[in-house]
Amino acid sequence: DDVGVSTANMTDPYALEPRRHVALKPASKTPFNGEPPLSLLVEHLITPNELFFVRNHLPVPDVKENEYTLEVSGLGVRELSLSLADIKKFPRHTITAAVQCGGNRRSEMVKVRPVKGLSWGAAAISNATWTGARLSDVLRAAGLDETNTEAKHVQFEGLDLDPTSHPFGASIPLWKAVERIGEVILAYEMNGEPLPRDHGYPVRVIVPGVVGARNVKWLGRIIVSDVESDSHWQQNDYKGFAPNVDWDTVDFSKSPAIQEMPVVSAICDPGDGETVTLVDGKINVKGYAYSGGGRKIVRVDISSDGGASWREVETLESDAAEHPKAWGWTLWKTQVEVPKGTKSLDLVVKAVDSNYNTQPENFENIWNLRGVLSHAYHRISIKLK
Amino acid sequence: DDVGVSTANMTDPYALEPRRHVALKPASKTPFNGEPPLSLLVEHLITPNELFFVRNHLPVPDVKENEYTLEVSGLGVRELSLSLADIKKFPRHTITAAVQCGGNRRSEMVKVRPVKGLSWGAAAISNATWTGARLSDVLRAAGLDETNTEAKHVQFEGLDLDPTSHPFGASIPLWKAVERIGEVILAYEMNGEPLPRDHGYPVRVIVPGVVGARNVKWLGRIIVSDVESDSHWQQNDYKGFAPNVDWDTVDFSKSPAIQEMPVVSAICDPGDGETVTLVDGKINVKGYAYSGGGRKIVRVDISSDGGASWREVETLESDAAEHPKAWGWTLWKTQVEVPKGTKSLDLVVKAVDSNYNTQPENFENIWNLRGVLSHAYHRISIKLK
Ligand SMILES: [Mo]
Ligand SMILES: [Mo]
């Protein structure tokens, strides 16, 4: 019943990849990773499925609904095997949640010093509504014993397999899975449609407020455990380090796996280096802001003089959810007045979340060898005509 | 039964203030606000009661245990009147939690431009164990109707009164009061002893991970409500604003009341401007780091060249609680090697929390007219001999 094997055993494991929208610019093709143009991304509070950034670690498995089974096992639970129909029998729960890659905006951090990782722009983040069963309902249906103090993590395995037939894997802390404010769901709908294959058909975990890598797609197995997933991506990737740590000195056991992500923002329109036509001495500027852990964006500040002076952006748009369940992103827009005769502008944006967390000013002091957590102020230069 | 009146009605409302430890340096005397020396503060993971910083907004009420009553009322609850003995009948719950003033480290932000507020150093934070009844248990004993969707906040009133007999007040969101991971307690013990008068005798709310101002002392009343507290301190104080907002343009209704606070750190020993004697070419450096919202400190970085290069501090000490219930602070220490002939050093510290939140580098871009949320890198200069 391990349906991923059908692709991994083929001569070309990437022969059965889904088609992608032409607007998705590939950061890599096998596995496929792609992001939409920034200006298109921020046209929609809810990203259309076909424009949602794609981050795959392995070939996309060709899962058939009638063969699909989700296995549940581990500490303090009975073993369950659930079909898609079984999962749909649990109460339907819908949330709006952004998913962000741990490496979003890596291409800016790289300018300080090289890092290892896909060269993502600022569009390795998108926002959707997700409908599915609450993970907490499924775990309680499996008889989860909440008095079992050994159980500390919930591990997920995908049906996507590496060349040695090991699945993609990740884990989250148990509290996130069971507490009401965690709101983790086993999603089978994305924006009201069955999940597209690139986004985990038929079932993906949505761990709202948590780095994309834990939102396991093509979900095959849930394991309640005393330990985190032993997968490469949990243990030896998606972790932050101090700027002086390099590949000779790094000890991945020393840093925690990234879960909730810090506050971030980006200017999406105009784009860096663009020439913009003034209208009535003004330009329109648009972008997004996001914070992990269910924190809401409470303020976005913009500077049009490279960060020397700031003012608050007037218009923020988001779904209605409030802290600590504000899983979605916030779109912002403003008009910048341009003094006559100005030939170029240095625009900078920074956001503040509902914990009053702020962004770091520059990448130098948050540089890390994997190029993750790349959340410094976003700076662009534009020309005017 | 409003026992605070006995002091407010006297000619000198400050005639009945408690004695304070001589080490507490006053930021103001009436009301009393004082902080201990930084070097003394970080000698103890759990701050001794007499050294715990004191932040009073009004005269300290002279509350007698046999006259004390806590009133509970509001949306979706039955009215309760609880004596101290009644409160002690609820299951005892003990947590370790730091309490930090919203204005901690204000004296550094002031160097950018003046602000309104007490001139706190970096010691308007301390760490204690607190024992009391869970607020959620008390609300459930009052029959809290969790299906009442109008109830959104829990307001607190102190028995400390302003000159017009209005009490100190604050509120927190209802989720923080009722969810298991909120861990709000009505504390009657501090480090195993009855609360000292300066810290809220006989009962204080401990809202762990949340700015000190919501941790209401001399607790007289709890009100479940559809709205936040209308107190000055909730509505027109303890809020953050963009750096361009001044007292002519500020609209306090536009920013959310500070609740959970961002990640912060400080170098406590040696002190800024001190002359330090080298031992074997090294100096010892100690400090604290803290993050609100139950986030744990996962890394502290130190620079001895003014921020040009960084390395991770080796030794972190904290209580055992983990994210998202890591309410205590973290003490850190390290040795800095000093090249021969060095006459002075610029030390800088920054911390990272379990959401990988980082501190802003400087105060310029987080400056705000009230001087709150003053959490930029902590920088000191020392001389060597
Ligand atoms: Mo990712
Ligand atoms: Mo405060």
Side-chain angles (χ1 to χ4, degrees):
Chain A
D1 61 5
D2 209 344
V3 295
V5 173
S6 62
T7 57
N9 280 354
M10 296 177 63
T11 314
D12 176 9
Y14 291 99
L16 294 177
E17 294 285 292
R19 289 196 180 194
R20 280 97 189 191
H21 195 284
V22 292
L24 293 182
K25 181 182 155 228
S28 77
K29 292 191 172 174
T30 53
F32 185 79
N33 289 283
E35 62 187 310
L38 282 169
S39 58
L40 195 52
L41 182 67
V42 292
E43 281 189 11
H44 312 275
L45 181 64
I46 303 297
T47 314
N49 288 357
E50 66 274 17
L51 294 178
F52 204 100
F53 89 101
V54 174
R55 200 300 178 233
N56 293 336
H57 294 85
L58 296 168
V60 175
D62 184 29
V63 186
K64 306 299 183 199
E65 178 177 335
N66 58 357
E67 295 169 351
Y68 175 75
T69 309
L70 172 63
E71 310 283 349
V72 181
S73 63
L75 285 174
V77 292
R78 283 188 311 275
E79 288 190 22
L80 292 183
S81 291
L82 302 172
S83 68
L84 181 59
D86 292 334
I87 294 170
K88 288 183 174 175
K89 284 176 200 151
F90 287 92
R92 277 171 68 87
H93 190 67
T94 299
I95 59 175
T96 299
V99 178
Q100 179 178 226
C101 178
N104 190 31
R105 299 184 60 204
R106 179 179 285 132
S107 57
E108 296 165 70
M109 186 180 277
V110 167
K111 293 172 189 166
V112 174
R113 285 198 299 284
V115 302
K116 278 193 196 169
L118 297 169
S119 185
W120 290 111
I125 180 172
S126 302
N127 195 49
T129 64
W130 308 90
T131 298
R134 284 182 190 263
L135 174 58
S136 58
D137 287 345
V138 172
L139 291 176
R140 285 182 186 119
L144 178 69
D145 174 9
E146 292 198 38
T147 67
N148 184 328
T149 55
E150 280 173 46
K152 292 202 161 59
H153 303 273
V154 180
Q155 302 178 3
F156 306 118
E157 289 180 8
L159 295 170
D160 48 337
L161 302 174
D162 73 12
T164 65
S165 291
H166 282 92
F168 182 80
S171 63
I172 61 172
L174 183 65
W175 73 266
K176 177 72 178 165
V178 299
E179 296 294 338
R180 288 190 292 196
I181 66 172
E183 260 195 321
V184 179
I185 62 174
L186 309 182
Y188 44 76
E189 286 178 21
M190 179 179 181
N191 294 332
E193 294 173 19
L195 295 189
R197 284 187 61 215
D198 257 339
H199 297 289
Y201 178 82
V203 175
R204 163 183 210 169
V205 193
I206 291 293
V207 188
V210 163
V211 61
R214 317 304 173 208
N215 292 246
V216 174
K217 305 196 267 195
W218 317 291
L219 184 67
R221 193 180 292 274
I222 297 172
I223 305 161
V224 180
S225 178
D226 55 338
V227 294
E228 288 189 292
S229 167
D230 66 2
S231 84
H232 168 77
W233 301 276
Q234 189 83 17
Q235 296 298 329
N236 296 314
D237 198 354
Y238 294 116
K239 294 186 172 189
F241 292 94
N244 67 314
V245 174
D246 61 26
W247 289 98
D248 294 328
T249 58
V250 65
D251 176 353
F252 271 94
S253 72
K254 288 283 181 66
S255 281
I258 298 170
Q259 298 283 350
E260 301 174 7
M261 289 187 76
V263 59
V264 69
S265 61
I267 302 165
C268 298
D269 189 8
D272 190 23
E274 266 183 38
T275 300
V276 182
T277 305
L278 282 174
V279 179
D280 297 335
K282 293 175 186 167
I283 60 168
N284 293 310
V285 183
K286 293 166 67 175
Y288 69 78
Y290 169 74
S291 188
R295 297 180 297 280
K296 188 108 176 174
I297 296 300
V298 302
R299 204 180 82 221
V300 173
D301 295 340
I302 193 161
S303 170
S304 53
D305 55 11
S309 69
W310 297 88
R311 67 172 178 78
E312 188 175 349
V313 164
E314 308 88 337
T315 309
L316 305 186
E317 182 190 12
S318 63
D319 64 284
E322 298 282 353
H323 176 106
K325 301 204 287 187
W327 314 120
W329 70 6
T330 294
L331 297 186
W332 57 265
K333 62 181 177 185
T334 189
Q335 289 197 315
V336 172
E337 287 195 49
V338 181
K340 267 213 176 102
T342 307
K343 293 276 193 293
S344 66
L345 281 182
D346 294 326
L347 297 173
V348 194
V349 68
K350 63 185 176 89
V352 178
D353 74 18
S354 47
N355 281 5
Y356 280 106
N357 285 300
T358 59
Q359 297 178 236
E361 293 164 24
N362 298 298
F363 287 98
E364 278 74 8
N365 296 343
I366 62 165
W367 184 95
N368 60 85
L369 74 179
R370 272 295 275 120
V372 291
L373 304 157
S374 192
H375 72 125
Y377 293 5
H378 191 222
R379 300 165 192 273
I380 69 167
S381 296
I382 58 170
K383 295 185 183 68
L384 300 166
K385 71 172 183 188
Chain B
D1 60 5
D2 209 343
V3 296
V5 174
S6 60
T7 57
N9 280 353
M10 295 178 65
T11 314
D12 176 7
Y14 292 98
L16 293 178
E17 294 284 294
R19 289 198 181 192
R20 280 98 189 190
H21 194 285
V22 292
L24 292 181
K25 182 184 156 224
S28 78
K29 291 190 173 175
T30 54
F32 184 79
N33 290 283
E35 62 187 311
L38 282 170
S39 59
L40 195 53
L41 182 67
V42 291
E43 280 188 12
H44 312 273
L45 181 65
I46 303 297
T47 314
N49 288 356
E50 67 273 18
L51 294 179
F52 203 100
F53 88 101
V54 174
R55 202 295 178 236
N56 293 337
H57 295 85
L58 296 168
V60 175
D62 184 28
V63 186
K64 307 297 184 201
E65 178 177 334
N66 57 358
E67 295 169 353
Y68 175 75
T69 309
L70 171 63
E71 309 283 349
V72 182
S73 63
L75 285 174
V77 293
R78 285 190 308 276
E79 288 191 21
L80 291 183
S81 288
L82 302 172
S83 67
L84 182 59
D86 293 334
I87 295 169
K88 288 183 174 175
K89 285 176 199 151
F90 287 92
R92 278 169 69 88
H93 190 68
T94 298
I95 59 175
T96 299
V99 178
Q100 180 178 223
C101 179
N104 189 33
R105 300 185 56 204
R106 179 179 284 132
S107 57
E108 295 165 71
M109 186 179 277
V110 166
K111 293 172 189 167
V112 174
R113 289 197 296 283
V115 302
K116 277 193 196 169
L118 296 169
S119 185
W120 289 111
I125 180 172
S126 302
N127 195 49
T129 66
W130 307 91
T131 298
R134 283 181 190 263
L135 175 58
S136 58
D137 287 344
V138 172
L139 292 176
R140 287 184 184 117
L144 178 69
D145 174 8
E146 292 198 37
T147 67
N148 184 327
T149 55
E150 280 174 48
K152 291 203 163 55
H153 303 273
V154 180
Q155 302 178 0
F156 306 116
E157 289 180 8
L159 296 170
D160 47 337
L161 302 175
D162 74 12
T164 66
S165 291
H166 283 91
F168 182 81
S171 63
I172 62 172
L174 183 65
W175 73 267
K176 177 71 178 167
V178 299
E179 295 294 337
R180 288 190 292 194
I181 67 172
E183 261 196 318
V184 179
I185 63 175
L186 309 182
Y188 43 77
E189 286 179 20
M190 179 181 182
N191 294 332
E193 293 172 18
L195 294 188
R197 284 186 60 215
D198 256 339
H199 298 290
Y201 178 84
V203 175
R204 159 181 213 174
V205 194
I206 291 293
V207 188
V210 163
V211 63
R214 316 304 172 209
N215 291 248
V216 174
K217 305 197 268 196
W218 317 288
L219 184 67
R221 192 177 295 272
I222 297 172
I223 305 161
V224 180
S225 177
D226 56 338
V227 294
E228 288 190 291
S229 167
D230 66 1
S231 83
H232 167 79
W233 301 276
Q234 190 82 18
Q235 297 298 331
N236 297 315
D237 197 355
Y238 294 116
K239 294 185 173 189
F241 293 94
N244 67 314
V245 174
D246 62 26
W247 289 99
D248 293 328
T249 58
V250 66
D251 176 353
F252 271 93
S253 73
K254 288 283 181 69
S255 282
I258 298 170
Q259 298 281 351
E260 302 175 6
M261 290 187 75
V263 58
V264 67
S265 60
I267 301 165
C268 297
D269 189 9
D272 191 22
E274 266 183 39
T275 300
V276 182
T277 304
L278 283 174
V279 178
D280 296 336
K282 294 175 185 164
I283 60 167
N284 293 310
V285 183
K286 292 165 69 176
Y288 68 77
Y290 169 75
S291 187
R295 295 181 298 280
K296 188 107 176 175
I297 296 299
V298 301
R299 203 180 83 221
V300 173
D301 294 339
I302 193 159
S303 171
S304 53
D305 54 13
S309 67
W310 298 89
R311 66 170 179 81
E312 188 176 350
V313 163
E314 308 87 335
T315 309
L316 305 186
E317 183 190 12
S318 64
D319 65 284
E322 298 283 354
H323 176 104
K325 301 204 287 188
W327 313 120
W329 69 5
T330 293
L331 297 185
W332 57 266
K333 63 181 176 185
T334 189
Q335 290 197 313
V336 172
E337 287 195 48
V338 182
K340 265 212 175 103
T342 307
K343 293 276 195 292
S344 66
L345 281 182
D346 293 326
L347 297 174
V348 193
V349 70
K350 64 187 176 82
V352 178
D353 74 16
S354 47
N355 282 4
Y356 281 105
N357 284 301
T358 59
Q359 297 177 237
E361 292 161 23
N362 299 298
F363 286 98
E364 278 74 8
N365 295 343
I366 62 165
W367 184 94
N368 61 83
L369 75 178
R370 273 293 275 117
V372 289
L373 304 156
S374 192
H375 72 125
Y377 293 4
H378 191 222
R379 299 166 193 273
I380 69 168
S381 297
I382 59 171
K383 295 186 184 69
L384 300 166
K385 72 172 182 190

